[in-house]
Amino acid sequence: MPITQSREITAASRLDNVRYAIRDLAVLADQVAKQGHTILSLNVGDPNIFGFHPPAHMIEAVLQAMRDNKNGYAPSPGIPEALEAIRGEAARKGITTVQDVFVTAGASEAVDICLTALVNPGENILTPRPDYPLYSAVLCKLGIEINAYDLNEEDGWQPDLIDLQKKINSKTRAIVLINPNNPTGSVCSRRMLEQIANLARRHNLVVFADEIYDKLMLDNDPHLSIAALAPDVPVVTFGGISKNYLAPGWRLGWGIVSGEAACVKPYIEGIHRLLRARLSANHPEQYAIKAALEGSQEHLIGACQRLRAQRDLTVKSCNAIPRMSCVSPRGAFYAFPRLDIPEDDDVFVKELLLQKHVVVVHGSGFGQRPGTKHFRIVFLPDEATLARAYGAIADFMQERYP
């Protein structure tokens, strides 16, 4: 008789704390939709679902590359045309000490590779609270304990510098700075960036500067890169075409390593070992990078105008609802309203979906500060859709928390 396998194959215990609340909610939303309800989705930051399109010259560049049979493997760091364009972008951002650039399958892969190449077991990386859950997921995969520093809601969601400094210990290797921020939409001030750079200098830390939304500034303020303000500090600046150039499905991102050459050389060598191990990022799509960064930027004018109006509607609507308040976001397309309710925010989100068919994401899914309750809104839908959603949220709040 053949022997059959009778015991279940369990997943690795390091995955126990891996969560991705943004997509996890989609499962329940699908169930509600199958019951015949129209879902108002304010949960996924995908511009293309809501009528945004990548610039035509980017599409043409990729099509031409495919016709020219650029369909095999690319060089592991990226094609020369893309790397040159990224260096030009770094110069425009004021980054003067670029030591390396590389292309990845979305900025997410850049984050994964750069964290993996840096941190050892027993060490830690400072991540903001609330944060984008990619960072905690990667660290959990690596078996690294989360070391979270607070963002200060009373200060426009700027990093809490006192808490940040307090969390640094002898095993800390880096600071993650998401600017503009997901999920709050906050943008760091020059003074804050300078103070964080000083902490990095003092403690010999790398700064991971996630700037994937740096062109989606909603108040006409210029975006400031910490790598430009602190050319001596080891910084990895993450960028990509997903948000600024409205092509998230193309999965194209990059990293820019800056700082003193001798300081970052061994780390860069480690990054490239991982880049070679995974072969390459998407090849024909890489020809969109030069087209995006060096071509017309006119699409940003219309995109930012639309997002600004939708932001203003979001903040006004949320602040008009009892038991709710909202700091006005200054970048990206997210808002992070605060709730004053007797239930946990994950209960609020679930019941809102079941009763009013509006999908948002609970703040606890982003690792918010203990004792607070929030939810994240993606304000990419048009104003009419947002108005319906905010009306439904207002009704829900009045009915459930009179």
Side-chain angles (χ1 to χ4, degrees), residues 187 214-224 308 330-331:
V187 175
D214 65 344
K215 297 182 189 298
L216 300 179
M217 300 289 286
L218 303 182
D219 293 323
N220 296 316
D221 299 322
H223 179 270
L224 300 174
R308 190 175 300 115
R330 297 176 54 216

Side-chain angles (χ1 to χ4, degrees), residues 321-338:
I321 298 173
R323 294 179 174 266
M324 192 179 297
S325 62
C326 185
V327 175
S328 183
R330 297 176 54 216
F333 36 69
Y334 307 105
F336 203 60
R338 184 165 187 161

Side-chain angles (χ1 to χ4, degrees), residues 40 42 358 384-394:
L40 297 176
L42 311 183
V358 177
T385 301
L386 290 175
R388 290 200 304 275
Y390 299 148
I393 292 172

Side-chain angles (χ1 to χ4, degrees), residues 22 58-59 77 109 113 154 172 233 256 261 310 322 354 386 392:
I22 301 166
M58 289 171 53
I59 297 172
E109 188 190 37
I113 286 174
E154 286 67 40
T172 304
V233 173
I256 302 167
Q310 291 164 193
L354 293 173
L386 290 175

Side-chain angles (χ1 to χ4, degrees), residues 83-238:
L83 299 178
E84 180 184 5
I86 295 167
R87 285 182 178 272
E89 177 71 0
R92 286 188 290 274
K93 289 164 72 73
I95 305 174
T96 59
T97 56
V98 175
Q99 305 301 336
D100 191 55
V101 298
F102 51 88
V103 178
T104 53
S108 298
E109 188 190 37
V111 169
D112 195 336
I113 286 174
C114 290
L115 268 62
T116 301
L118 180 71
V119 66
N120 296 300
E123 297 175 340
N124 66 81
I125 291 175
L126 282 157
T127 57
R129 182 169 62 183
D131 81 332
Y132 180 57
L134 166 69
Y135 291 91
S136 56
V138 171
L139 293 174
C140 285
K141 182 185 72 171
L142 296 173
I144 303 300
E145 184 178 354
I146 302 299
N147 187 10
Y149 68 89
D150 289 332
L151 303 182
N152 187 351
E153 186 172 9
E154 286 67 40
D155 188 26
W157 291 114
Q158 296 284 302
D160 184 331
L161 202 68
I162 295 175
D163 188 60
L164 175 57
Q165 187 166 4
K166 184 173 63 176
K167 298 292 177 60
I168 297 172
N169 57 51
S170 62
K171 297 295 185 179
T172 304
R173 299 295 308 280
I175 301 171
V176 172
L177 184 67
I178 307 174
N179 180 42
N181 183 264
N182 178 7
T184 68
S186 63
V187 175
C188 281
S189 67
R190 173 184 287 269
R191 176 166 172 76
M192 180 58 65
L193 294 175
E194 290 171 344
Q195 290 174 314
I196 291 173
N198 282 335
L199 282 178
R201 285 191 192 95
R202 195 178 314 147
H203 297 279
N204 195 32
L205 303 178
V206 176
V207 176
F208 291 121
D210 187 334
E211 299 182 358
I212 193 72
Y213 301 96
D214 65 344
K215 297 182 189 298
L216 300 179
M217 300 289 286
L218 303 182
D219 293 323
N220 296 316
D221 299 322
H223 179 270
L224 300 174
S225 292
I226 191 169
L229 298 179
D232 59 307
V233 173
V235 178
V236 185
T237 303
F238 300 123

Side-chain angles (χ1 to χ4, degrees), residues 153 157 183-184 314-315 317-319 321 323-329 334-340 345 348 360-363 368 372-379 390 393:
E153 186 172 9
W157 291 114
T184 68
T314 298
V315 173
S317 299
C318 290
N319 283 327
I321 298 173
R323 294 179 174 266
M324 192 179 297
S325 62
C326 185
V327 175
S328 183
Y334 307 105
F336 203 60
R338 184 165 187 161
L339 295 166
D340 179 15
D345 51 31
F348 164 85
V360 294
V361 185
H362 48 291
Q368 65 192 348
T372 64
K373 302 170 187 178
H374 298 82
F375 66 102
R376 190 190 75 165
I377 291 171
V378 176
F379 53 82
Y390 299 148
I393 292 172

